[in-house]
Amino acid sequence: QVTLRESGPALVKPTATLTLTCAFSGFSLSTTGMSVSWIRQPPGKALEWLARIDWDDDKYYRPSLRTRLTISKDTSKNRVVLKMTNMDPIDTGTYFCARTPGIAAREERAFDVWGQGTMVTVSS
Amino acid sequence: DIQMTQSPSSLSASVGDRVTITCRASQSISTYLNWYQQKPGRAPNLLIYSASNLQSGVPSRFRASGSGTDFTLTITSLQPEDFATYYCQQSYTTPWTFGQGAKVDI
């Protein structure tokens, strides 16, 4: 069974750095084609893709947030970490991690399993 | 970035209704288009991948089609558990982008 679970602080202060961890099981991020992304959702608003890390350690970021984001993986511990610097109240929302089982295959390039999400509030 | 535009943004329907949601991409994305259902307080759930393929476990009343820039999601007979928000998402090129959502309520 494939599962993902996000963890991190519920409250961060403006200008702080947010560190979120996605712990997963049921698959390996060293499997060819495998990928994990971070997606966020401000309260009452749409989903927004943030970043992606692939099995071969390739990384992709939302251009508008590129300077603030860092994604990394620890394959041995089955974890993906997202760091976001200089947090602002506009970054408040639920942060999800999700798996894409096959980056190279059109029929597998979707988020097939999601974590439950973690709510992050940015406030002083 | 590829912009994804859904219509309508919201609609009211009744159980048993046929409901259609459209998604338009700002440039051609072939069939790199996925559909998700999200209920309040829950993570999204993959319904359709690669424009028209039903994800395992998803009821057959969900149907989808399209290619290039225009896509549709149809629920052939709306059930009580289908009242939710539906998102399209392109995976043609990064940054992957979502539509703004289409809320289906009673």
Side-chain angles (χ1 to χ4, degrees):
Chain A
Q1 182 187 7
V2 173
T3 64
L4 302 97
R5 180 179 290 270
E6 306 87 350
S7 61
L11 179 66
V12 297
K13 295 186 185 302
T15 74
T17 294
L18 172 68
T19 299
L20 296 173
T21 299
C22 175
F24 58 85
S25 63
F27 68 97
S28 173
L29 200 39
S30 60
T31 299
T32 300
M34 198 67 68
S35 179
V36 171
S37 288
W38 284 94
I39 300 120
R40 72 178 177 182
Q41 185 171 39
K45 296 189 176 181
L47 300 161
E48 181 179 64
W49 176 83
L50 299 177
R52 178 186 115 197
I53 190 163
D54 296 349
W55 86 100
D56 57 1
D57 211 35
D58 278 351
K59 300 162 188 166
Y60 302 83
Y61 297 98
R62 186 175 192 81
S64 60
L65 296 172
R66 175 63 184 90
T67 60
R68 299 175 54 206
L69 294 174
T70 303
I71 192 169
S72 62
K73 64 181 174 72
D74 185 333
T75 304
S76 64
K77 294 183 177 179
N78 285 349
R79 290 179 183 175
V80 171
V81 174
L82 181 75
K83 293 183 184 291
M84 181 179 290
T85 62
N86 195 24
M87 292 293 285
D88 184 272
I90 201 171
D91 297 312
T92 292
T94 300
Y95 287 71
F96 299 97
C97 59
R99 183 185 83 152
T100 299
I103 289 298
R106 180 183 321 209
E107 63 275 11
E108 293 184 308
R109 203 186 287 190
F111 303 120
D112 70 334
V113 184
W114 295 64
Q116 63 187 16
T118 186
M119 178 65 192
V120 178
T121 300
V122 184
S123 175
S124 55
Chain B
D1 300 5
I2 297 176
Q3 306 303 316
M4 307 300 294
T5 303
Q6 292 181 237
S7 61
S9 295
S10 65
L11 67 94
S12 295
S14 300
V15 173
D17 283 355
R18 183 183 183 93
V19 169
T20 297
I21 298 166
T22 66
C23 178
R24 175 164 289 177
S26 60
Q27 67 183 73
S28 178
I29 57 171
S30 183
T31 57
Y32 288 86
L33 190 283
N34 308 303
W35 290 96
Y36 302 86
Q37 177 194 66
Q38 187 180 32
K39 297 180 180 179
R42 303 289 297 274
N45 181 52
L46 178 64
L47 297 176
I48 302 286
Y49 61 91
S50 194
S52 61
N53 297 279
L54 198 65
Q55 175 71 348
S56 175
V58 174
S60 59
R61 63 180 179 273
F62 291 93
R63 300 180 183 174
S65 63
S67 67
T69 61
D70 294 315
F71 303 86
T72 61
L73 173 69
T74 297
I75 310 171
T76 57
S77 178
L78 200 65
Q79 297 302 300
E81 60 268 29
D82 301 337
F83 292 95
T85 300
Y86 295 84
Y87 292 94
C88 61
Q89 176 248 334
Q90 66 83 15
S91 57
Y92 180 73
T93 187
T94 55
W96 290 348
T97 46
F98 292 86
Q100 81 277 20
K103 184 177 182 180
V104 178
D105 59 20
I106 301 174

